[in-house]
Amino acid sequence: TPKELWTEIIIQHSQILLQDLTKEVSEVAYLLNFSDPSYFGRLFKQVTGTTPTKYKESIIQDLSGY
């Protein structure tokens, strides 16, 4: 459906933005026009299976080599 497509695009965009380690999860949510960062987090988890914070932590881990 169009809504599912929109959601997929938004989450993909958020994954790109979350790779910027200077941005907080709430900042990414606001950049993507979510008025409620917790709703963004729930939607992100629903689509990806992980929270935005854990996704960001996994990027940091990958960069550190651990």
Side-chain angles (χ1 to χ4, degrees):
T1 68
K3 183 178 179 182
E4 291 169 335
L5 179 60
W6 176 86
T7 299
E8 188 66 33
I9 291 167
I10 291 297
I11 296 303
Q12 287 176 0
H13 191 183
S14 72
Q15 289 173 311
I16 293 166
L17 291 173
L18 288 167
Q19 292 176 27
D20 180 348
L21 302 179
T22 64
K23 287 185 175 39
E24 298 292 327
V25 172
S26 60
E27 186 179 356
V28 170
Y30 292 129
L31 285 170
L32 295 171
N33 294 320
F34 285 89
S35 59
D36 182 2
S38 63
Y39 173 71
F40 165 71
R42 289 191 306 272
L43 185 64
F44 187 95
K45 185 172 183 176
Q46 179 183 351
V47 172
T48 66
T50 189
T51 66
T53 302
K54 292 220 186 258
Y55 178 80
K56 198 169 182 65
E57 289 170 356
S58 73
I59 292 168
I60 294 168
Q61 239 180 356
D62 289 346
L63 291 174
S64 69
Y66 294 103

